[in-house]
């Protein structure tokens, strides 16, 4: 139905470790039901649990319309942009 492809990363400019979300897919029949939001929140939790300080979503210009325009609540009072 869906997947989130992510990996550990390190940002040398900020001296911080975190995660990069490089791909997010939800099958058309499952869209608009909160699946993507749940996946992003889960990746954010993994990031926090590992001591990460950021979660960056890497996107392509042609898919910019599919990306959220606001932060996604992660369930801990923090948000992932």
């Amino acid at each position: 139905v869906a997947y989130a492809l992510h990996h550990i990363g390190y940002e040398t400019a900020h001296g911080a470790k975190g995660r990069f979300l490089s791909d997010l897919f939800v099958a058309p029949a499952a869209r608009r039901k909160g699946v993507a939001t749940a996946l992003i929140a889960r990746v954010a939790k993994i990031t926090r649990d590992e001591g990460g300080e950021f979660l960056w979503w890497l996107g392509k210009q042609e898919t910019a319309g599919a990306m959220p325009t606001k932060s996604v609540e992660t369930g801990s009072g923090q948000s992932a942009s």
Side-chain angles (χ1 to χ4, degrees), residues 49-80:
D49 290 351
E50 293 177 344
E53 297 182 27
F54 67 87
L55 171 57
W56 289 349
W57 187 351
L58 309 173
K60 295 181 180 178
Q61 184 66 31
E62 61 267 21
T63 60
M67 299 176 94
T69 57
K70 61 181 181 176
S71 295
V72 175
E73 182 61 40
T74 62
S76 69
Q78 298 178 344
S79 59

Side-chain angles (χ1 to χ4, degrees), residues 24 26 34-42 72-73:
L24 180 69
V26 179
V35 175
T37 300
L39 284 172
I40 294 167
R42 179 66 180 137
V72 175
E73 182 61 40

